[in-house]
Each structure stands twice: as C-alpha cells, then as structure tokens.
C-alpha cells in the first residue's frame, strides 16, 4: 500500500474513539492512537496513567503492544489524536518503540479542537538515525 492509499479519516476516527477511553486522572490529557497494520487492520491505543507517575504509558505504545499481542509485527502508518491547540507528535520513547516495528512510516497528527489543521510527518523525520536491533552484535550478520 502506498502512502496516498492510506485512509487517514478511518485512522483518525479510530484514534478519536480510543481517546475517549483514555485513563488520565493526573494529566487530564487524553490521547488516542490508531495503527494501520501490515495486514490492513486498525489497532488502537489510549494513554493509561498511574498514581506512580513513571508507570504512565502513552497511547502510541499501548497501540503497538496491542498490535503485537494480536499477532502482528508490521506498522504501516499511525494516527495520533489529542485535544491540544495544535497537533502533537509522539514522545521520544514512543518514537523508538515505533522504530522496532517500522522502517519509515507516515505519522498523522490531529487535534479534536475545531478548525485545527492535521499534519503528516514521518518516523524518519522524527527519529533520524534510529538505533535498531540489527546493530546489536547478537543479531545474525550484525556487528561483533
Ligand atoms: N502522551 C501520550 O499518550 N502520547 C504522546 O504522544 C504524548 C504524551 C500522554 C502521556 C501522559 O498520559 C499524558 O499524555 C501527558 O503527558
């Protein structure tokens, strides 16, 4: 599937629905994410916070983990929806987790604030020169 074939409206709708399930008593900043998988399915995530703040997990990583748990390991695209005045990109930790299951993918950022312009960026732009598993000495054919 090429970039233009991605149904961003479907991904944004799925991410917006997932955002309504976010558990955010501390930040009150709900986030929804929707991944288009290698098989063409949509898998979603929302952020889930914890009284022990370091245990909070972002919507994007919940979506990646749900994708893996459902038997898929390829991300074709992701949409992220927040209620910020302008669309917000994934945090650094999420960028690295996305890079585990994607090379360069389009990342679509949208806001629920009326009149906000969505924008599309890419994983390569947000995380250039990513550290990858095939750089590990333990990887077959990798550095020793
Ligand atoms: N958060 C996400 O879920 N995704 C992002 O891309 C940025 C931040 C969450 C983490 C926390 O629950 C809240 O937003 C405030 O940082």
């Amino acid at each position: 599937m090429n970039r233009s074939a991605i149904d961003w409206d479907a991904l944004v709708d799925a991410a917006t629905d997932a955002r309504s399930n976010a558990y955010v008593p501390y930040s009150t900043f709900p986030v929804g994410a929707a991944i288009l998988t290698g098989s063409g399915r949509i898998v979603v995530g929302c952020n889930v916070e914890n009284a022990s703040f370091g245990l909070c997990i972002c919507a994007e990583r919940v979506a990646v983990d749900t994708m893996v748990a459902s038997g898929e390991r390829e991300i074709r695209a992701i949409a992220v929806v927040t209620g910020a005045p302008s669309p917000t990109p994934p945090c650094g930790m999420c960028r690295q987790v996305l890079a585990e299951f994607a090379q360069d993918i389009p990342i679509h950022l949208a806001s629920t604030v009326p009149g906000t312009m969505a924008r599309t960026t890419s994983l390569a732009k947000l995380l250039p020169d990513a550290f990858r598993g095939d750089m590990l000495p333990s990887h077959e054919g990798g550095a020793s």
Side-chain angles (χ1 to χ4, degrees), residues 23-24 27 29-32 46-49 56-61 80 82 88-91 94:
Y23 176 72
V24 289
S27 74
F29 186 71
V31 183
C46 62
N47 48 340
V48 180
E49 299 186 342
C56 296
I57 183 165
C58 295
E60 295 91 326
R61 275 176 289 144
V80 182
T82 70
T88 57
C91 78
C94 289

Side-chain angles (χ1 to χ4, degrees), residues 6 38 73 81 84 92 97 100 139:
I6 292 166
R73 295 186 177 178
V81 175
V97 170
E100 186 72 20
H139 186 270

Side-chain angles (χ1 to χ4, degrees), residues 25-92:
Y26 307 106
S27 74
T28 68
F29 186 71
V31 183
I35 287 173
L36 179 65
T37 71
S39 76
R41 289 195 310 134
I42 293 177
V43 176
V44 300
C46 62
N47 48 340
V48 180
E49 299 186 342
N50 193 280
S52 178
F53 292 171
L55 302 184
C56 296
I57 183 165
C58 295
E60 295 91 326
R61 275 176 289 144
V62 171
V64 171
D65 293 353
T66 302
M67 178 193 77
V68 174
S70 66
E72 298 212 43
R73 295 186 177 178
E74 188 198 339
I75 302 170
R76 282 191 197 167
I78 184 169
V80 182
V81 175
T82 70
S86 58
T88 57
C91 78

